[in-house]
Amino acid sequence: MCGITGWVSFDRDLTRHRPDLDAMTATMACRGPDAEGGWFAQHAALGHRRLAVIDIEGGTQPMEVHTDDGAVALTYSGEVYNFEELRSELVSRGHRFQTRSDTEVVLHGYLEWDEALAERLNGMFAFAIWDARVEKLVLIRDRLGVKPLYYSSTADGVLFGSEPKAILANALADRAVDLDGLRELVSFTQTPGSAVWCGMHEVVPGGVVIVDRNGLRERRYWSLPTRAHTDDQQTTVENVRSLLEDIVTRQMISDVPRCTLLSGGLDSSVITAIAADQLAKKGEKVRSFSVDFVGRSDDFVADDLRSTIDTPFAHELAEYAGTQHQDILLDHADIADPAVRRAVITARDSPLSLGDMDASLYLLFKAIREHSTVALSGESADEVFGGYRWFHQPEVQAANTFPWMAVFVSGARAQVSDRFNADITAALDLPGYIADRYADAVAEVEPLDGESAHETRMRVMCHLHLTRFVRMLLERKDRISMAVGLEVRVPFCDHRLVEYVYNTPWSMKTFDGKEKSLLRAATADLLPESIQNRTKAPYPATLDPRYTGALLQQADELLATDDRVFELVDRKWLLDITRRDSATMPIDVRNGIERVLDLSTWLDIYRPELRLG
């Protein structure tokens, strides 16, 4: 895993702009703490920060190949899990390799297949290739959007980077946010292609961007396909298990220490159990890590989202599977530390955080990084298998909006709309914006001929989660993990599994009346019964009233200033909230305070020009 950046300019000699590329590359230092590299040609400059995972000595980047017609150079982030098969095929076609790295396989794959290389890759990746033979830049991103990649057109070329901060480090970037950008920041719509900043875009998941002297062109090499599912239930269950076994085997490949993230829920337990079983055959143990909070067992109160505490289940699975397990215990004071909030907002380039859940995730990953460089996560299983409770609620199934908004609309108002002043609220028109984005998202879904109206509706719901909701979670996990140099892999995002399960009828996904029926059936022999039957519980939030008290104190301090945040936020709204009792404050109101503090921090770090007129 790494950080990449670069600049293409057809009117400049970029060999004279090394300081500019160095500044862009430096912003990616957290993503790649092991090495730094730059590559320059007259009209192209590529930067790279490396987190060494495969072929520690040989995978130096940017990497280039010299041909009779000119150089082809690559700056690459991610992992290609089928690189060994691709290398064998390329060797049979006459290619010769100098390293064991997947980077070199990607570079030679481009020489052999050009842009069509993308369709052959299995993995999480984002990379840029400068082809000096035809003066062309190629940007390619993985199918599910696990790895980020952004670009911003200039008068004579383009800037690009793994994160917006790399682009913003160049003086040509427009450091401004307009109304549409602000809408994206607070609407939870995750519009494909949006990057918040004026003039900046993301390479869409499954997308290719070409830049040459004729301009910039985009296309998709992959989108979520609709096809008939012809396997019966037993065959489907067997195929899911077979895919999971293969996926975890591939994603355990690493030349550095790896581990699993274990919550004690079904998804992370499945990944941990498969990994443990595979390593046990080699005489090894998998390391597993869980998060817990000081006093959690004392202050926990069951609610509609979380009926049980994670820790006992994580310990049960660790003992059952024989992992080398460790709990990471966090304190409310660490989670509330403004320095941690600043680190999270810097990592995400955005004030759209999950408050204490992002802070604790950052601290968890930071602690794990002391022991491991690679971690396997159960992220995305709920989107793939239909695990969220709202998938099964008729009123949400019938709602004419994004399902997660139908569930959390009251909380979303407390966190988003109500915090802005009246003028900003009117200008944003979030209900209209969300309705438009929802209509766009639904229009992308290709129904299957002959399926029932209910099956079509559930296909739409699954599509929304796999093209919008999951990307919010993937972006969160990538940014926060890479902020501490930890590579998090997501087996449930393997496109083969996603395509297969997406096209499985909803009636089969829920054949036993439970959520994630297929996943439970496919892994029944791997887990203790208590975890097999455990209902979905989201990532834990701290319930310590002292954390809320710390937020109230920080809000009071903010109210005593002329902070820029009050250009957007209704000061009286925040003042009224700070007068409430921290011990009885509802969590959605507490979240509203977090959002204001996050927004203030973001404005201070990035100092954007706000074009909201």
Side-chain angles (χ1 to χ4, degrees), residues 208-362:
V208 177
V209 173
I210 306 296
V211 182
D212 57 23
R213 290 186 179 273
N214 295 319
L216 184 148
R217 302 178 299 283
E218 304 174 71
R219 70 173 180 87
R220 298 287 291 271
Y221 70 89
W222 183 88
S223 58
L224 198 54
T226 292
R227 60 174 69 105
H229 185 81
T230 58
D231 293 335
D232 62 21
Q233 179 180 306
Q234 183 58 38
T235 303
T236 300
V237 169
E238 292 171 357
N239 285 341
V240 167
R241 175 60 174 268
S242 177
L243 281 167
L244 286 172
E245 295 275 4
D246 180 69
I247 291 164
V248 174
T249 298
R250 292 176 182 276
Q251 297 199 18
M252 289 292 287
I253 295 174
S254 172
D255 291 339
V256 294
R258 70 276 208 227
C259 67
T260 66
L261 307 178
L262 176 61
S263 70
L266 176 67
D267 313 334
S268 64
S269 296
V270 165
I271 298 302
T272 300
I274 294 175
D277 180 64
Q278 292 180 355
L279 287 185
K281 296 173 183 176
K282 303 177 182 179
E284 302 177 42
K285 279 193 172 186
V286 68
R287 296 202 66 160
S288 58
F289 293 90
S290 298
V291 67
D292 200 1
F293 304 97
V294 173
R296 177 74 169 177
S297 59
D298 298 325
D299 61 31
F300 178 79
V301 177
D303 58 26
D304 290 340
L305 290 178
R306 301 174 180 87
S307 59
T308 53
I309 298 175
D310 286 343
T311 302
F313 293 94
H315 289 176
E316 182 180 9
L317 189 283
E319 182 177 357
Y320 188 88
T323 76
Q324 182 181 344
H325 186 74
Q326 181 176 341
D327 292 329
I328 305 299
L329 194 62
L330 304 179
D331 182 76
H332 79 277
D334 296 327
I335 299 171
D337 187 345
V340 172
R341 174 178 294 108
R342 195 172 186 89
V344 169
I345 298 301
T346 300
R348 298 198 65 175
D349 288 319
S350 166
L352 182 59
S353 85
L354 297 181
D356 69 293
M357 291 190 288
D358 277 4
S360 65
L361 190 68
Y362 173 83

Side-chain angles (χ1 to χ4, degrees), residues 124 217 402 404 610:
M124 54 179 193
R217 302 178 299 283
F402 294 101
W404 48 97
L610 298 177

Side-chain angles (χ1 to χ4, degrees), residues 181-196:
L182 189 58
R183 290 177 181 119
E184 276 297 310
L185 281 175
V186 301
S187 65
F188 296 94
T189 56
Q190 198 72 26
T191 304
S194 172
V196 175

Side-chain angles (χ1 to χ4, degrees), residues 46 108 128 130 138 146 160 273 304 314 333 346 371 388 464 475 498 503:
L46 307 180
H108 279 264
W130 174 251
V138 180
V146 180
F160 68 87
D304 290 340
T346 300
H371 308 281
Y388 294 114
L464 293 172
E475 181 177 43
V498 171
N503 285 294

Side-chain angles (χ1 to χ4, degrees), residues 374-416:
V374 172
L376 271 65
S377 166
E379 190 79 89
S380 308
D382 289 303
E383 291 77 16
V384 174
F385 289 95
Y388 294 114
R389 295 183 186 181
W390 59 71
F391 270 106
H392 308 270
Q393 297 170 347
E395 66 275 17
V396 177
Q397 294 174 359
N400 192 32
T401 189
F402 294 101
W404 48 97
M405 293 184 184
V407 174
F408 296 115
V409 64
S410 60
R413 284 174 181 162
Q415 298 170 43
V416 182

